[in-house]
Amino acid sequence: MRDLQLKRFVWLLVILGVVVSQTGCARSQRILEKLAINHTLGYDLDDDKQLYVTAAIINQGEGGSEVKQELISTEADSSKEAKIKLSRQTSRSIVNGQIRNTMYSIDVAREGIRKLIENLVRDPSISPRVKITIVNGSVKELLESKFPDHPNTSQYVDHLLQKNWKNQNIPQVNVYQFARDYLEDGVDPVAPVVRKKGDSVVVDGLGLFRDDKYVGKLSPDYNMLFAMTRGKYRQGEIYIKLDQEKLDGSVMLGTVSSDKKFNVRRKRNGGFIVELFLQVKGDIMEYSGKVPLDNPKDIRVIENGISAYISGKIEKMVNIMQEKRSDNVGLGKQVRNRLSYAEWKRLNWEKVYPEVTFRCIVHTKIKSSGEILEIPPQSSEK
Amino acid sequence: MKENPAPSLEYILHEFDQCVDLIHRKFPLLAADILYFDHLIDKNELEREILQPFANVQADEMGPLLSGSPFNASFNSKEIVLGILKGDAAIFHDSCVYLVALYGPSNRSIEQSETETVIIGPHDAFTESAFTNLSLIRRKLRSSHLKVIQLSVGEVVKSDVFVLFIEGIVNMEYVNEMIKRIRDIEVDIISDSNMLVQHIDDYPNTIFPLFLTTERPDVIVSKLSGGRLVVIMDESPSVISGPTSLFEFFMSPDDYYQHWVIGTATRILRYIAFVITITFTAIYVSITTYHYEMIPENLLYTLIESRSRVPFPPVFEALLMEITIELLREAGARLPSKIGQTIGIVGGIVIGQAAVQAGLTSNILIIAVALSAIASFVIPSYVMSASIRFVRFFLIILAGIWGNFGLMIGISVIVIHLTKLTSLGSSYITPIAPLKVNDWRDIFIRGPFWMLKDRPSQSRTRNKVRNKMKR
């Protein structure tokens, strides 16, 4: 019994030895400090309309100096060719497993980024959560620029997007969501646009795509409203300028939450009417107008003002999209849901879309207007 | 020469030839001879039991005197030799031999256990004397149902072994199996119960201890009342209990002396410590060698920075540090406690600081190694803690070869191995492998006492209920 066990154990050792020597264990190793870890990939077009790839790499200098960002760039026909060309420029092997962000200049995005995204999706070491960002200007220039308060530019941009997405200033756009919106019928993808502004980077608005091609952008004012049309909206903040008659000043709503519902109706002549019902709730954080806040009736006036403002803005936003013939809100998806498959297939949505009538009906509710309703003006007599 | 000749003074003296420490007292007036080892007996006892009565009797009164207590007639040479070796005095009179038990060398007094300390609860621990140990158990377990069976092991030296159990609670199959295994031992000498365990366990090649050994009487009493049996060996302060499951090694009596919430929390802490000990360094190795993707972004920078000065691949780096820690531990264990403190300082400062500054290791590895070493000492049983510290090396090497895949292979092998093991024929991972969810409330947590109604299922007792209270 014991001899048998010993024999088996010896065999196990032999097999283990063979397996270890056969796998050639050293080759597949990716030891951390010997890697050039890609953090951000940037795509530009150079003057000859050639793809110009810039990689921001997490790299430490030789002999244990501080870990820094290193930029290497090359001209290439495709992103994979770029990888080979880039690896000539570094002493370490380039790996993609830690990519956080991919940046495309507007020029590249105008040409269509389907092929580039496809490569990201195909590589299993690249996470589907890699962000997609459009840069207003040159990507290389943005990555090269030094921001005094943020030593690591690529990380800075990544964190900036992350934070803005958490605050719901911009929609979360990553490879997975972009590819899904691109492939789905009746909705077109979006991506945030950033721009260098002095000593910092700012979110410059929302890039609108038709299929995989960039067609234009919305100004940052629409960020919040776009988020409301796309999904449930929680814990946001919104700043509204009221300029109807009787109402003046501006309102800042905090802890805003919204809920949406679409309704699709057919027109007699065959077109569609899409209605968006929006429920917005929030607290007044700041108000600079003259309406006294201690009267529920007057609050209703403010609520109506806010409703009018939001619905007007959203309708305007959809009009901009319709002009550019990109269906980023996903009206097509709503229409598709009301139609049978055959009907939808027969419909040439591209053509119908610009003719769709869009209406937005907003119902605003102000939950509270603060602890102190109004600080009375100090009388001068005392 | 005959196998077992009739007892005679000449024969016994011949047996103890060249034993200068044997005392031979002659009483020519009484025609009596006394043989004993001076250092094995209590001198006062000898005075009271033998010398005084002998001084007060005449030659013709010897017969009646020796027929009474404490004189036991013996007609077997072997028994007489053994008796003298055990500290009896042998009295030769008129071709008869009488043994008087006078055993009395001083023992180590009952002290606190050094290896298994508790914060609250009883602090006494077993000593080397089996009878002291028995008395410690009897004092805590006053019941006539506590049975003690005496056996002996060893061919050259017969050591006394006692098997204890509570009749009516224990499953007699276990007792019979244990007695059979102890009787089957044919070794010249077994000097400690931790050696005895290795002769009676089911799988001699496993690195996991298959029987619980403890120095604490309160643990032994709770094992007995839980339907397990207990083996005491003379001259050994560790007492064996069985059958044992893996999870018993993670229990401490402290769990029961404290409130059940605290007890549960500490017990869970120990299981976490178990996982940390086994896997933490291995995960470091596999991540830094293969899976750079898994590192959170903020950690990535510091990790690269600390790794960049290290000239070795992570496996060698980790093995180097692990072996250093083991060296420190072993040196600390062997040295007297006053020098042991120096080891602590040398280890803490030299290994912790200088190794990083010299660029031999990364400081994150130091944390990993130190944490897993500390975690291994959280496990109350020293034997188990040594076992899992050994298993760790196996996993580190696998992680160095195949990364996380190797780690999973290693953990699977450990689980398969544990599943195979048995203790006294019952499964080693009992409440899991024969699934007994009822037992979990006393294994993975320390449930409140109203919840602990039944004895552990591994005891296979017929007398299941231990708590009849309604709440």
Side-chain angles (χ1 to χ4, degrees):
Chain A
M1 171 72 179
R2 284 183 191 184
D3 282 352
L4 198 78
Q5 276 187 357
L6 195 70
K7 215 171 170 182
R8 218 187 284 163
F9 184 68
V10 170
W11 266 111
L12 198 78
L13 276 187
V14 170
I15 291 171
L16 202 75
V18 170
V19 168
V20 169
S21 58
Q22 291 296 309
T23 46
C25 49
R27 238 171 266 161
S28 62
Q29 277 186 359
R30 284 173 299 190
I31 296 176
L32 193 60
E33 72 273 11
K34 293 186 176 143
L35 301 177
I37 298 167
N38 235 333
H39 184 279
T40 300
L41 270 180
Y43 299 98
D44 279 313
L45 279 190
D46 66 3
D47 301 336
D48 311 332
K49 294 277 170 199
Q50 263 272 325
L51 197 62
Y52 194 76
V53 183
T54 308
I57 278 169
I58 301 168
N59 216 349
Q60 90 284 10
E62 304 290 338
S65 59
E66 208 185 325
V67 178
K68 285 188 289 227
Q69 158 190 292
E70 183 188 326
L71 278 186
I72 47 178
S73 37
T74 182
E75 260 184 13
D77 291 336
S78 74
S79 60
K80 290 291 143 177
E81 193 201 347
K83 194 184 166 186
I84 296 166
K85 283 190 171 175
L86 288 173
S87 72
R88 288 194 213 141
Q89 300 178 34
T90 172
S91 61
R92 302 177 164 85
S93 49
I94 298 179
V95 287
N96 290 331
Q98 286 269 4
I99 291 187
R100 307 276 154 166
N101 194 0
T102 54
M103 296 164 100
Y104 308 83
S105 73
I106 283 183
D107 294 340
V108 173
R110 260 187 229 289
E111 298 280 309
I113 57 175
R114 182 171 65 87
K115 279 281 171 197
L116 299 173
I117 302 282
E118 204 178 281
N119 286 331
L120 297 180
V121 176
R122 185 169 293 137
D123 187 344
S125 75
I126 293 178
S127 155
R129 282 157 67 194
V130 170
K131 297 183 187 64
I132 287 177
T133 316
I134 307 299
V135 176
N136 194 351
S138 155
V139 177
K140 184 158 187 264
E141 223 176 277
L142 178 77
L143 286 174
E144 264 175 353
S145 39
K146 294 264 173 267
F147 300 101
D149 298 337
H150 309 281
N152 196 334
T153 310
S154 59
Q155 207 180 10
Y156 166 46
V157 175
D158 178 44
H159 289 181
L160 179 112
L161 290 166
Q162 188 91 21
K163 189 225 88 186
N164 274 304
W165 162 67
K166 279 218 172 107
N167 287 4
Q168 302 188 327
N169 284 333
I170 52 170
Q172 185 192 22
V173 179
N174 52 35
V175 168
Y176 168 75
Q177 272 150 343
F178 191 92
R180 191 193 59 191
D181 284 353
Y182 169 63
L183 292 171
E184 195 170 11
D185 268 359
V187 60
D188 282 321
V190 290
V193 181
V194 295
R195 175 165 65 87
K196 193 186 163 188
K197 187 186 174 194
D199 271 351
S200 60
V201 175
V202 288
V203 174
D204 199 25
L206 201 61
L208 306 176
F209 282 75
R210 185 168 69 240
D211 292 339
D212 66 326
K213 292 184 177 62
Y214 176 85
V215 289
K217 89 181 163 60
L218 287 177
S219 88
D221 303 348
Y222 290 105
N223 286 345
M224 217 89 58
L225 303 171
F226 180 78
M228 284 180 181
T229 61
R230 269 280 178 113
K232 280 191 177 175
Y233 187 84
R234 290 279 171 274
Q235 291 294 326
E237 286 174 339
I238 190 166
Y239 185 77
I240 291 159
K241 269 210 160 69
L242 301 169
D243 44 7
Q244 277 93 350
E245 82 286 5
K246 260 180 86 183
L247 282 167
D248 59 342
S250 52
V251 183
M252 159 98 161
L253 282 187
T255 59
V256 175
S257 59
S258 81
D259 214 342
K260 66 157 180 21
K261 210 180 131 193
F262 280 96
N263 190 20
V264 177
R265 281 187 286 148
R266 280 197 187 239
K267 281 189 212 161
R268 278 212 193 107
N269 59 3
F272 291 93
I273 302 171
V274 182
E275 286 171 321
L276 169 64
F277 299 97
L278 211 56
Q279 279 262 351
V280 180
K281 284 182 197 162
D283 301 331
I284 291 184
M285 308 291 280
E286 200 182 284
Y287 175 62
S288 65
K290 292 207 182 75
V291 177
L293 292 177
D294 50 358
N295 191 348
K297 269 185 191 160
D298 296 328
I299 293 270
R300 199 152 303 143
V301 175
I302 298 178
E303 283 176 352
N304 290 340
I306 294 170
S307 298
Y309 172 87
I310 293 178
S311 68
K313 270 276 205 188
I314 288 183
E315 278 169 17
K316 205 171 153 196
M317 177 178 84
V318 172
N319 282 340
I320 295 172
M321 291 175 186
Q322 280 176 326
E323 272 168 34
K324 298 185 192 304
R325 295 197 289 120
S326 68
D327 183 12
N328 304 92
V329 171
L331 300 186
K333 206 158 80 176
Q334 303 304 327
V335 171
R336 195 190 68 189
N337 289 348
R338 304 304 194 284
L339 297 180
S340 72
Y341 179 72
E343 269 179 305
W344 170 252
K345 273 283 136 185
R346 234 181 293 131
L347 192 71
N348 186 355
W349 176 246
E350 301 258 316
K351 243 182 172 173
V352 175
Y353 173 61
E355 308 302 322
V356 168
T357 310
F358 176 78
R359 277 192 216 122
C360 182
I361 297 108
V362 181
H363 182 81
T364 308
K365 178 143 181 58
I366 287 171
K367 289 185 284 184
S368 79
S369 50
E371 209 165 287
I372 300 171
L373 297 174
E374 198 179 3
I375 300 173
Q378 260 184 346
S379 58
S380 52
E381 288 158 25
K382 279 181 187 172
Chain B
M1 195 186 274
K2 264 166 69 185
E3 178 71 3
N4 198 1
S8 70
L9 182 60
E10 288 71 33
Y11 175 75
I12 302 293
L13 279 174
H14 175 74
E15 279 282 297
F16 287 105
D17 190 23
Q18 292 190 353
C19 291
V20 288
D21 48 348
L22 186 79
I23 307 287
H24 181 193
R25 279 201 176 199
K26 294 168 188 162
F27 294 85
L29 278 177
L30 301 172
D33 290 88
I34 307 179
L35 287 183
Y36 58 89
F37 281 113
D38 194 32
H39 43 77
L40 284 183
I41 61 153
D42 187 344
K43 298 233 172 66
N44 293 330
E45 291 267 305
L46 176 75
E47 184 74 29
R48 197 167 59 242
E49 301 284 358
I50 300 175
L51 299 184
Q52 270 185 7
F54 276 26
N56 295 334
V57 295
Q58 303 298 317
D60 53 337
E61 291 169 10
M62 278 296 276
L65 174 72
L66 290 174
S67 64
S69 172
F71 304 96
N72 298 312
S74 174
F75 308 100
N76 186 332
S77 290
K78 232 177 188 174
E79 194 185 315
I80 293 160
V81 170
L82 267 179
I84 293 172
L85 287 171
K86 273 184 186 169
D88 292 0
I91 300 163
F92 295 80
H93 172 74
D94 203 18
S95 80
C96 286
V97 187
Y98 305 89
L99 290 176
V100 185
L102 296 176
Y103 183 77
S106 54
N107 283 315
R108 188 163 66 96
S109 61
I110 298 171
E111 284 163 8
Q112 216 171 10
S113 168
E114 297 243 328
T115 49
E116 298 165 69
T117 44
V118 293
I119 316 281
I120 45 178
H123 287 269
D124 50 351
F126 288 128
T127 70
E128 279 77 8
S129 157
F131 287 102
T132 315
N133 296 350
L134 275 173
S135 93
L136 280 172
I137 294 173
R138 281 259 186 228
R139 266 188 258 165
K140 286 191 161 59
L141 204 95
R142 288 194 188 126
S143 162
S144 59
H145 290 286
L146 175 63
K147 307 296 179 193
V148 182
I149 292 175
Q150 185 172 11
L151 303 163
S152 73
V153 294
E155 301 291 311
V156 174
V157 175
K158 303 266 180 213
S159 307
D160 287 335
V161 171
F162 302 89
V163 177
L164 277 73
F165 55 90
I166 298 183
E167 195 178 37
I169 294 179
V170 80
N171 187 326
M172 283 313 280
E173 277 175 34
Y174 285 135
V175 178
N176 296 334
E177 172 70 18
M178 182 60 102
I179 290 171
K180 183 178 155 290
R181 283 190 193 179
I182 293 174
R183 284 207 174 121
D184 284 350
I185 297 174
E186 291 181 5
V187 192
D188 54 352
I189 173 168
I190 291 179
S191 49
D192 189 77
S193 56
N194 288 306
M195 279 169 77
L196 179 70
V197 160
Q198 298 175 43
H199 282 100
I200 57 174
D201 59 11
D202 305 36
Y203 292 90
N205 292 336
T206 180
I207 52 166
F208 292 98
L210 293 180
F211 289 98
L212 185 82
T213 51
T214 178
E215 289 189 7
R216 298 188 52 83
D218 50 344
V219 173
I220 286 304
V221 166
S222 81
K223 296 293 171 207
L224 281 170
S225 63
R228 295 173 207 274
L229 60 96
V230 159
V231 178
I232 299 178
M233 189 170 173
D234 201 11
E235 301 302 320
S236 168
S238 312
V239 175
I240 305 163
S241 111
T244 307
S245 84
L246 173 72
F247 307 100
E248 278 176 60
F249 293 94
F250 296 90
M251 298 176 179
S252 163
D254 256 349
D255 301 352
Y256 295 91
Y257 300 146
Q258 295 180 21
H259 188 259
W260 69 269
V261 176
I262 311 290
T264 302
T266 14
R267 191 166 284 176
I268 290 170
L269 192 72
R270 284 193 207 107
Y271 287 116
I272 294 171
F274 173 67
V275 174
I276 288 178
T277 309
I278 282 197
T279 59
F280 204 63
T281 317
I283 286 176
Y284 169 86
V285 168
S286 97
I287 284 181
T288 48
T289 319
Y290 293 96
H291 309 288
Y292 68 95
E293 306 99 322
M294 286 173 67
I295 308 168
E297 193 185 358
N298 295 332
L299 190 61
L300 191 66
Y301 292 86
T302 46
L303 203 55
I304 294 176
E305 209 170 308
S306 71
R307 269 290 303 164
S308 63
R309 274 160 53 97
V310 183
F312 314 115
V315 201
F316 293 121
E317 184 196 11
L319 286 177
L320 184 79
M321 282 320 289
E322 288 287 358
I323 289 171
T324 314
I325 286 267
E326 290 297 300
L327 284 176
L328 277 173
R329 186 196 54 75
E330 185 64 14
R334 298 288 154 249
L335 282 172
S337 59
K338 277 172 191 157
I339 308 175
Q341 289 177 354
T342 328
I343 289 290
I345 294 164
V346 168
I349 293 171
V350 173
I351 308 303
Q353 278 294 312
V356 173
Q357 279 176 9
L360 284 178
T361 54
S362 67
N363 31 26
I364 291 173
L365 176 75
I366 296 270
I367 294 167
V369 169
L371 192 64
S372 56
I374 290 171
S376 79
F377 296 119
V378 169
I379 286 130
S381 159
Y382 178 78
V383 196
M384 179 52 95
S385 136
S387 298
I388 64 173
R389 257 184 287 121
F390 181 80
V391 168
R392 189 170 51 162
F393 283 91
F394 167 66
L395 285 183
I396 290 172
I397 292 169
L398 279 176
I401 298 173
W402 288 313
N404 281 357
F405 176 61
L407 202 58
M408 283 329 291
I409 289 180
I411 290 170
S412 312
V413 168
I414 292 171
V415 170
I416 291 168
H417 178 70
L418 284 174
T419 318
K420 189 184 80 168
L421 295 179
T422 56
S423 170
L424 272 181
S426 69
S427 166
Y428 190 51
I429 48 170
T430 280
I432 290 182
L435 189 68
K436 305 279 183 190
V437 183
N438 222 14
D439 278 7
W440 287 16
R441 54 185 74 160
D442 198 15
I443 291 282
F444 297 112
I445 62 167
R446 201 289 268 174
F449 286 118
W450 58 260
M451 215 188 238
L452 313 177
K453 298 268 196 240
D454 293 345
R455 299 206 158 84
S457 66
Q458 197 181 18
S459 64
R460 294 187 194 161
T461 173
R462 288 207 191 136
N463 194 346
K464 271 210 176 108
V465 180
R466 73 171 359 162
N467 180 351
K468 283 184 199 153
M469 283 169 75
K470 282 285 183 292
R471 58 167 220 115

